[in-house]
Amino acid sequence: IPTYLVSRLAREHVTVVLSGDGGDEVFGGYDRFVAAAVSRRLPAGVARAARRATGVLHRDHGYYSLRRRAERFLELAEAPVIDRYQSWISVANRELLDELLVPRLRDLAIPSSVEASMRIQYERASHLPSLDQILFANLKTYLPDDLAVKMDRMSMAHSLEARSPFLDTALIEYAARIPARGRVGVRRLKPVLRRAFYPLLPEAVWNRKKHGFGVPMGKWMRGELGTMFVDEVLGLGARTGDLIDMGVAARLWDEHRRGEREHGFRLW
């Protein structure tokens, strides 16, 4: 949605644009990469204690919500880092997916099937440390199958040509020689890229916080879009009833509406 809108706006002025797609995958720019790097060093006992302590944090649903991020980070504190990462990127974790599907479809929810596309890539990079495996899997799945497709379709919907300099083959091959621990900064994201461009950028840009290019789905789902959700998904005779347990979907909607949990993208 935001890519469609910004492409429409850009096309009013130009016919060709540069896109930053690939910068996060190539140079380790996602917060979840940092979480994976930190989680490898966090003792399980400390993680369990911290998980219990998250209940005292203020609950809010903003992009930088400390409580929401802490709960996500500590959700599977005892699990291997790859399993924890899979949980962070999932719309519905293994338990919820099994709950959500109607009984006749629950065989589809087995991890070996749902997570196959990522697991294949982890296996291909299994000779590397876990953080390198995660970056490699993102480069081979999320980037070409989601981000690049989105940009191509939304820009061409407005006859706008988009170019992605971070996807230059030589640049990717060069960056791939740097171990993931050197590309994923714990204190500051994308340290290699920041150092390279420091002399060229205003300090305000160089120090800017990471912010994804998304929409306030949680807020929308508590407003007009939520009304549509109730009508289309929970309404009598809704087609989703053949696939999804309506009681579980209604529970998620109720938790979200009351502000107890953040389910915006799950509901979407």
Side-chain angles (χ1 to χ4, degrees):
I1 293 170
T3 304
Y4 178 89
L5 295 173
V6 79
S7 295
R8 184 174 68 186
L9 179 63
R11 186 61 182 82
E12 295 175 5
H13 305 278
V14 296
T15 56
V16 182
V17 293
L18 295 181
S19 159
D21 284 349
D24 288 322
E25 287 75 20
V26 176
F27 292 101
Y30 290 123
D31 289 328
R32 58 181 182 266
F33 293 160
V34 179
V38 171
S39 68
R40 293 179 306 150
R41 309 169 194 162
L42 190 66
V46 174
R48 284 194 294 270
R51 185 167 56 201
R52 289 193 294 269
T54 57
V56 304
L57 296 174
H58 171 67
R59 184 181 293 281
D60 72 82
H61 305 292
Y63 183 83
Y64 296 112
S65 169
L66 178 60
R67 176 165 175 167
R68 180 173 62 84
R69 289 178 174 227
E71 287 175 340
R72 291 273 289 171
F73 176 68
L74 298 165
E75 188 175 26
L76 298 174
E78 299 83 6
V81 64
I82 294 289
D83 288 342
R84 298 184 70 190
Y85 184 81
Q86 282 296 134
S87 174
W88 297 334
I89 64 173
S90 298
V91 175
N93 62 27
R94 294 174 181 178
E95 294 75 19
L96 179 57
L97 183 59
D98 189 66
E99 243 190 309
L100 265 173
L101 293 176
V102 294
R104 68 181 178 82
L105 295 180
R106 282 182 184 155
D107 285 347
L108 298 175
I110 58 173
S112 60
S113 172
V114 175
E115 301 172 8
S117 62
M118 292 290 282
R119 295 287 173 184
I120 289 169
Q121 304 306 333
Y122 294 143
E123 184 60 32
R124 287 183 62 192
S126 59
H127 58 290
L128 298 172
S130 57
L131 191 58
D132 292 81
Q133 293 177 40
I134 287 171
L135 263 67
F136 178 76
N138 270 267
L139 189 71
K140 301 295 285 186
T141 58
Y142 182 50
L143 179 61
D145 298 336
D146 189 313
L147 297 181
V149 175
K150 173 201 69 177
M151 175 54 75
D152 188 49
R153 291 179 178 174
M154 297 303 97
S155 59
M156 291 311 296
H158 301 288
S159 300
L160 181 71
E161 299 274 352
R163 302 284 181 263
S164 302
F166 286 124
L167 299 185
D168 178 79
T169 303
L171 179 64
I172 291 175
E173 290 177 348
Y174 177 80
R177 299 190 191 104
I178 305 171
R181 66 177 184 274
R183 285 182 279 163
V184 177
V186 174
R187 290 188 302 165
R188 192 184 293 276
L189 294 173
K190 292 187 277 197
V192 173
L193 198 61
R194 285 178 187 271
R195 285 198 298 270
F197 282 91
Y198 178 71
L200 305 174
L201 294 173
E203 191 170 347
V205 174
W206 196 82
N207 284 319
R208 187 172 184 268
K209 276 186 174 182
K210 168 77 175 176
H211 197 301
F213 190 47
V215 294
M217 191 61 70
K219 182 179 179 181
W220 287 0
M221 278 292 179
R222 292 185 182 92
E224 190 174 344
L225 198 59
T227 303
M228 186 185 295
F229 175 84
V230 172
D231 290 342
E232 298 292 339
V233 179
L234 302 181
L236 190 64
R239 288 177 295 173
T240 45
D242 293 335
L243 311 171
I244 295 171
D245 185 306
M246 305 300 271
V248 177
R251 187 193 78 211
L252 296 179
W253 156 244
D254 202 43
E255 289 176 351
H256 184 80
R257 179 179 58 83
R258 293 200 305 260
E260 295 173 3
R261 299 286 301 279
E262 180 57 47
H263 294 305
F265 277 95
R266 290 193 181 107
L267 299 176
W268 171 257

